[in-house]
Amino acid sequence: MKQTAITTNYINAVAQHIGAGKTLRNALAKLKPTYDKATFDEQQVLRMQVAQLIGKESGVKPIITNRGSVSFPRDTKAGDASRKMLDYYLPATLKTKAKPKVSKQVDVVEKLLEQLYSLSKAEQARFRKLLASDSK
């Protein structure tokens, strides 16, 4: 293949794309600590800004999902492609609104019974014999 203006133009475009990728990775690395410290709503503002840029290029309007995050419709190929682009350009984990933690109530007697039933039959018989002979 001869080196023509078309091939030279393509090689230059690839070189620019590689350089832009490095710039994007560096910008994302600098953004990550700030993004991770941001609240859920602050994260969504940035995500919406990126989604609007992608939507303008792809012709797909960003949506707010049932969980409150920014995404694109799943019912079209353009929406799928836009969602993949959003994940590529903003591959950060989203915070979710914290759910209250409920401690599991453990019944001490049930826990002891589980341990008892995990013993062999001979060990259970020995335990019952010792329990019956104990005067406390």
Side-chain angles (χ1 to χ4, degrees), residues 50 54 57-58 80-90:
V50 173
I54 294 168
E57 279 295 313
S58 63
D80 288 339
S82 298
R83 204 172 47 262
K84 287 177 185 177
M85 286 177 68
L86 182 60
D87 291 341
Y88 176 78
Y89 288 115
L90 199 59

Side-chain angles (χ1 to χ4, degrees), residues 28-41:
L28 185 61
K30 290 177 183 175
L31 171 70
K32 187 169 176 15
T34 305
Y35 187 84
D36 290 345
K37 291 177 187 174
T39 65
F40 179 80
D41 293 331

Side-chain angles (χ1 to χ4, degrees), residues 40 44 47-48 62-74 83 86 94:
F40 179 80
Q44 293 311 303
R47 197 162 167 87
M48 180 56 89
I63 60 169
I64 304 295
T65 65
N66 292 342
R67 290 180 30 205
S69 63
V70 177
S71 189
F72 288 95
R74 295 181 174 270
R83 204 172 47 262
L86 182 60
L94 293 174

Side-chain angles (χ1 to χ4, degrees), residues 1-65:
M1 179 184 286
K2 291 183 182 180
Q3 187 78 6
T4 64
I6 294 171
T7 57
T8 302
N9 187 26
Y10 175 75
I11 297 298
N12 290 338
V14 170
Q16 288 177 340
H17 189 357
I18 291 170
K22 288 179 183 177
T23 304
L24 178 65
R25 280 191 300 276
N26 291 338
L28 185 61
K30 290 177 183 175
L31 171 70
K32 187 169 176 15
T34 305
Y35 187 84
D36 290 345
K37 291 177 187 174
T39 65
F40 179 80
D41 293 331
E42 291 170 337
Q43 287 178 347
Q44 293 311 303
V45 169
L46 176 63
R47 197 162 167 87
M48 180 56 89
Q49 290 172 341
V50 173
Q52 286 173 338
L53 289 172
I54 294 168
K56 188 183 278 186
E57 279 295 313
S58 63
V60 180
K61 193 172 185 177
I63 60 169
I64 304 295
T65 65

Side-chain angles (χ1 to χ4, degrees), residues 7-8 18 26 38 56 59 77 80 103 111-112 127-128 130 136:
T7 57
T8 302
I18 291 170
N26 291 338
K56 188 183 278 186
K77 287 183 180 182
D80 288 339
S103 63
K111 190 173 179 182
L112 286 171
F127 174 78
R128 288 190 178 109
L130 287 172
K136 289 184 184 179

